[in-house]
């Protein structure tokens, strides 16, 4: 796990008996990137066990198509059933890309005219890739970067590379003669807006959500303004604020960064 993630995420796993290795954030091309370290640890585990009863398994959730397939088979149908198919737009961020890819693919097959939008944190290049065809984030400008990888307070979503799961969204659906990608747009959400949305939801709706859920809600609001009254927009509150107490929900830390 990247060492700049909220400490309670690894503490929770440790309480369940896991051994968590926190590694310095770095590019995916670096052998010490957390994904590459996980791949190595899986290969090493049980390598000296001649009986073959111990072995590691690398899930590879960023590139494994079974990730998006699981959401195509479960999350997408669940949303369709709970809305009775009365849904005009779906909004979600992309970490591995599995949720937004699987749900979008399913709903686009079931609901004619439905739109799908990416919620992207500042520092991620995915929104620019969707809207303009170029992977770029303003924080990539020389001399402006504050943080390795995606320069944002938001954890769990946003990248400056295409995963296999997300890349499938940029292809046209089978049978689409117009050749359009499956996403209808993307919104780049600032850290300030994510923090303000999380506090507003807690104060007004009693929803204690994490940072990725906050950018989903900010984007849903943008889409609501775009579509107007009478439309049903669905998103997922994928993380609890309980996993962000020491960072995103640390008010003193947020004020020190200018997010009052």
């Amino acid at each position: 796990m990247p060492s700049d993630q909220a400490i309670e995420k690894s503490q929770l796993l440790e309480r369940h008996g896991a051994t968590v290795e926190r590694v310095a954030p770095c590019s995916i091309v670096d052998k010490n990137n957390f994904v590459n370290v996980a791949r190595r640890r899986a290969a090493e585990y049980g390598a000296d066990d001649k009986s073959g009863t111990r072995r590691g398994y690398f899930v590879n959730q960023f590139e494994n198509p079974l990730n998006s397939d699981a959401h195509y088979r479960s999350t997408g149908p669940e949303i369709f059933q709970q809305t009775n198919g009365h849904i005009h737009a779906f909004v979600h961020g992309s970490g591995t890309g599995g949720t937004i890819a699987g749900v979008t693919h399913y709903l686009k097959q079931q609901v004619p005219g439905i739109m799908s939008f990416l919620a992207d944190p500042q520092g991620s290049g995915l929104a620019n890739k969707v809207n303009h065809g170029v992977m770029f984030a303003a924080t990539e400008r020389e001399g402006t970067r504050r943080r390795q990888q995606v320069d944002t307070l938001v954890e769990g979503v946003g990248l400056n590379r295409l995963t296999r799961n997300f890349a499938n969204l940029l292809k046209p659906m089978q049978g689409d003669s117009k050749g359009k990608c499956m996403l209808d747009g993307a919104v780049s959400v600032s850290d300030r807006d994510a923090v303000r949305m999380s506090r507003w939801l807690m104060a007004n709706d009693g929803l204690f959500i994490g940072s990725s859920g906050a950018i989903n809600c900010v984007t849903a609001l943008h889409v609501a303004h775009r579509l107007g009254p009478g439309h049903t927009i669905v998103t997922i509150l994928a993380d609890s604020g309980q996993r962000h107490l020491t960072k995103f929900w640390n008010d003193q830390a947020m004020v020190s960064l200018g997010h009052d």
Side-chain angles (χ1 to χ4, degrees), residues 153-210:
L153 298 170
V154 177
E155 297 182 6
V157 292
L159 283 175
N160 284 310
R161 65 183 177 91
L162 290 179
T163 67
R164 181 177 178 185
N165 283 291
F166 187 82
N168 286 331
L169 283 171
L170 303 182
K171 303 173 184 176
M173 284 191 63
Q174 188 173 8
D176 181 0
S177 59
K178 296 181 180 179
K180 287 179 56 181
C181 79
M182 284 189 273
L183 289 173
D184 297 280
V187 174
S188 183
V189 179
S190 69
D191 285 347
R192 180 176 179 82
D193 283 349
V195 172
R196 293 177 68 184
M197 175 60 79
S198 68
R199 273 52 174 184
W200 191 93
L201 288 172
M202 186 63 181
N204 291 276
D205 292 324
L207 294 174
F208 186 38
I209 64 173

Side-chain angles (χ1 to χ4, degrees), residues 86-89 115 117 219-234:
H86 183 72
I87 172 175
H88 300 94
M115 305 179 82
F117 295 89
T219 301
L221 183 60
H222 278 269
V223 174
H225 282 299
R226 172 175 170 174
L227 299 184
H231 293 86
T232 300
I233 301 164
V234 173

Side-chain angles (χ1 to χ4, degrees), residues 41 87-88 149 164 216-217 252:
R41 295 293 179 264
I87 172 175
H88 300 94
Q149 297 184 300
R164 181 177 178 185
N216 285 350
C217 290
Q252 288 183 324

